[in-house]
Amino acid sequence: GLPRLAGLHYKIGRAQESKGKYKEAAQSFQQGLELLQGAPGLEAGRLHVWQGFLAFRQGYPDLALPLYDQGIRLIEQTDSPQALAQALNLRGLIHRRNGQHEAALATYARSETGSEAAAYLPGLVRVFNNRGIIYQDQGRWDVALAAYQRGAELAARTGEAWWQAGALVNQGEIYRR
């Protein structure tokens, strides 16, 4: 049906975004939303969240916020803690970029809850890494190290070498100080 087709546009858009083809990704996300014709649901939520992510990546956080929030509201109406955790993690990036550390930490706490509910280890890896960055920005070195260490442990369990390496590099930056 239409949600399945919209989901394919979501996947195509994600692939285009990962290659830096933002215009094409935006078109894919928009086409998916047009197929859904305003219907709520998981795919609509994901498409809105990723439209927000594109806006964020292109340097337009003010445009990204309402898209993220709309997508999160739609995802909250579904039974998909993993999708909600992913959306919240992305939403936290804007808080962090805007220096709203407490709001980012609260958003990451919600993302952690969803990741745990879905047994989604990659989501937990991202949560701990992003928390570590915030704590590091705040000069809270011990808490940052603990977050990075937990992220590295989880990344090792998932086989996500990139995230494990990132957590180790971030730890090294703290020790270098």
Side-chain angles (χ1 to χ4, degrees):
L2 292 180
R4 186 176 159 282
L5 288 175
L8 293 174
H9 281 283
Y10 163 77
K11 289 178 182 178
I12 292 167
R14 291 278 313 266
Q16 292 166 326
E17 180 277 327
S18 72
K19 294 179 180 184
K21 296 181 177 184
Y22 298 139
K23 181 179 178 185
E24 293 86 349
Q27 289 171 342
S28 290
F29 295 147
Q30 187 59 41
Q31 288 170 346
L33 286 169
E34 288 170 5
L35 280 172
L36 294 172
Q37 299 175 351
L42 179 59
E43 294 307 330
R46 285 180 172 164
L47 288 162
H48 283 292
V49 165
W50 280 88
Q51 281 184 325
F53 186 72
L54 282 179
F56 173 74
R57 289 284 299 259
Q58 294 176 35
Y60 303 106
D62 293 339
L63 294 176
L65 286 173
L67 292 165
Y68 276 126
D69 292 341
Q70 184 175 5
I72 288 169
R73 279 192 302 277
L74 290 167
I75 293 169
E76 286 174 330
Q77 297 170 11
T78 70
D79 185 27
S80 183
Q82 180 176 329
L84 181 59
Q86 291 169 327
L88 290 166
N89 192 53
L90 292 172
R91 176 69 167 85
L93 296 174
I94 292 179
H95 288 309
R96 191 178 85 208
R97 182 175 188 261
N98 291 340
Q100 300 165 324
H101 293 140
E102 295 310 313
L105 290 170
T107 302
Y108 293 139
R110 288 185 61 204
S111 181
E112 179 181 8
T113 299
S115 292
E116 287 176 343
Y120 180 55
L121 288 180
L124 290 171
V125 171
R126 289 164 181 81
V127 163
F128 283 102
N129 183 65
N130 288 333
R131 281 184 180 154
I133 292 169
I134 291 170
Y135 296 140
Q136 189 172 349
D137 288 347
Q138 294 175 327
R140 298 169 63 190
W141 312 117
D142 291 341
V143 182
L145 277 173
Y148 290 140
Q149 288 166 349
R150 183 69 177 131
E153 291 166 8
L154 291 167
R157 288 178 42 202
T158 66
E160 290 194 1
W162 188 89
W163 284 98
Q164 186 177 14
L168 294 171
V169 167
N170 289 338
Q171 289 177 55
E173 288 296 316
I174 291 173
Y175 286 123
R176 193 171 66 121
R177 294 180 184 268

